[in-house]
Amino acid sequence: MSDILVGADKQQVTLLGLLHMSAAFGSVDHDILLDRLRRGVGLEESVLSWRRSFLTERSQYVAYAGGLSVLVKLEFGVPQGSVLGPLLFLLYLVDLFDIGTRHGARVHFYADDGQMYITSPAVRAEDTVRQCLPDVEAWMRASRLLLNPHKTQLI
């Protein structure tokens, strides 16, 4: 809100994209995450090995009305309900923050709900968004993430 008010004082507009990812925590690709932890965060192999063991070889089933579903191996996702799950998800998004910065946008996330906004003179705002969106979309596809069109808005 502060950035919007400062921009308005400078007679600038703010375009805000409210981003909501579908099944975000369950869509995290383990190999991509581990690569981003190595490349983007600088974790060494011994630490990555521990993270790999935390992420892989997981399975789940559903208990309902006294019965159990079949056991399913989880190939993707970070453990929900864990302390590390939200942190690992945010680290998975680290390149998205870089894309926003490159285009002059600010990016904030709380779990799978995010916002990306650009404050600039009105004549440049639309062009900036048009340049930024294809990069965000390409990154989302490469990261195996999908925006929920019913909960994603541009204001």
Side-chain angles (χ1 to χ4, degrees):
M1 191 65 178
S2 176
D3 291 338
I4 293 170
L5 294 173
V6 168
D9 286 344
K10 295 178 182 177
Q11 299 194 353
Q12 296 179 333
V13 298
T14 299
L15 295 177
L16 170 66
L18 300 174
L19 312 172
H20 181 85
M21 297 180 191
S22 297
F25 280 68
S27 300
V28 171
D29 183 294
H30 298 156
D31 292 331
I32 293 173
L33 173 59
L34 292 168
D35 181 60
R36 289 179 182 164
L37 291 174
R38 182 178 7 80
R39 184 178 40 83
V41 181
L43 296 184
E44 295 182 12
E45 191 54 43
S46 60
V47 178
L48 287 173
S49 175
W50 181 74
R51 293 287 182 249
R52 187 176 293 108
S53 70
F54 178 74
L55 293 169
T56 58
E57 302 303 320
R58 292 184 166 273
S59 57
Q60 73 179 18
Y61 61 87
V62 176
Y64 178 73
L68 299 176
S69 69
V70 296
L71 190 66
V72 176
K73 184 178 178 189
L74 299 177
E75 301 288 334
F76 297 94
V78 293
Q80 295 184 38
S82 70
V83 173
L84 282 178
L87 177 60
L88 290 172
F89 181 71
L90 288 175
L91 291 170
Y92 191 70
L93 300 179
V94 74
D95 293 340
L96 183 59
F97 290 86
D98 293 340
I99 290 170
T101 300
R102 191 169 60 242
H103 289 282
R106 297 205 178 200
V107 181
H108 301 279
F109 266 87
Y110 179 78
D112 59 353
D113 287 307
Q115 49 183 261
M116 178 180 282
Y117 63 94
I118 297 169
T119 301
S120 70
V123 294
R124 288 195 343 237
E126 186 178 349
D127 287 339
T128 303
V129 170
R130 285 179 198 242
Q131 293 169 4
C132 184
L133 284 179
D135 290 349
V136 170
E137 290 171 346
W139 179 87
M140 295 281 290
R141 277 191 306 278
S143 299
R144 301 178 186 243
L145 294 172
L146 179 66
L147 287 176
N148 181 335
H150 301 293
K151 293 184 178 181
T152 298
Q153 301 175 4
L154 185 61
I155 301 171

